[in-house]
């Protein structure tokens, strides 16, 4: 285990959270997205989500973040979870689902999951013309 991994482990992050954070899963911009939206949470960190949508199905999802390991892992988890889902199905994914997918999240980092979830909600609203 390298220094970064042991620091993350000490902070209470799960294996999957560490893996997503280290591999930066789905991190990056998307060329010609159907919609993108950036949202800044109360902690001051920002997540921007890019979606490629076809007939109300999310074909691809990426994100960028200025934030902590919790923000990046939550963004990775959420974008993994929504690929192939309809907008309606994606909207139903809540914070507990994301935490379950990650195998847990330190209590102090739950708000980072909320930031990712909120950003997705607003991105879908933007796509529908309501944000
Ligand atoms: Fe701001 Fe984690 S501390 S998203």
């Amino acid at each position: 285990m390298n220094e970064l991994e042991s620091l993350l482990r000490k902070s209470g992050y799960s294996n999957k959270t560490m893996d997503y954070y280290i591999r930066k899963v789905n991190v990056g911009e998307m060329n010609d997205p159907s919609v993108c939206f950036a949202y800044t949470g109360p902690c001051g960190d920002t997540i921007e989500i890019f979606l490629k949508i076809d007939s109300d199905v999310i074909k691809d999802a990426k994100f960028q973040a200025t934030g902590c390991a919790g923000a990046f892992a939550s963004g990775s988890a959420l974008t993994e979870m929504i690929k192939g889902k309809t907008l309606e199905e994606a909207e139903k994914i809540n914070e507990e689902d994301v935490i379950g997918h990650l195998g847990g999240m330190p209590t102090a980092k739950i708000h980072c999951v909320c930031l990712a979830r909120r950003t997705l909600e607003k991105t879908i609203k933007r796509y529908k013309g309501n944000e």
Side-chain angles (χ1 to χ4, degrees), residues 12-65:
Y13 288 110
S14 69
N15 286 340
K16 195 159 194 175
T17 303
M18 287 168 46
D19 177 59
Y20 277 160
Y21 177 61
I22 289 164
R23 290 195 297 122
K24 297 282 185 281
V25 173
N26 299 328
V27 174
E29 280 192 31
M30 183 186 285
N31 287 332
D32 198 24
S34 308
V35 63
C36 63
F37 191 84
Y39 177 67
T40 302
C43 67
D45 291 333
T46 300
I47 295 182
E48 181 173 25
I49 292 181
F50 305 83
L51 300 178
K52 187 88 78 187
I53 300 166
D54 185 16
S55 304
D56 278 355
V57 174
I58 298 170
K59 297 290 187 187
D60 197 12
K62 286 190 178 298
F63 76 101
Q64 289 193 319

Side-chain angles (χ1 to χ4, degrees), residues 13 41-47 65-72 74 108-116:
Y13 288 110
C43 67
D45 291 333
T46 300
I47 295 182
T66 53
C68 66
F72 276 95
S74 300
K109 292 287 161 187
I110 303 278
H111 73 276
C112 315
V113 181
C114 298
L115 172 60

Side-chain angles (χ1 to χ4, degrees), residues 63-113:
F63 76 101
Q64 289 193 319
T66 53
C68 66
F72 276 95
S74 300
S76 291
L78 200 48
T79 47
E80 281 293 276
M81 293 168 78
I82 62 176
K83 281 186 204 174
K85 291 210 163 36
T86 63
L87 294 174
E88 200 184 337
E89 289 166 340
E91 283 175 309
K92 285 186 187 147
I93 294 171
N94 62 28
E95 286 80 1
E96 285 77 32
D97 298 325
V98 177
I99 294 166
H101 178 93
L102 286 168
M105 181 61 91
T107 310
K109 292 287 161 187
I110 303 278
H111 73 276
C112 315
V113 181

Side-chain angles (χ1 to χ4, degrees), residues 37 121-131:
F37 191 84
E121 183 187 315
K122 287 178 169 287
T123 306
I124 292 175
K125 268 193 185 157
R126 159 69 61 88
Y127 178 72
K128 291 178 171 174
N130 298 323
E131 184 75 46

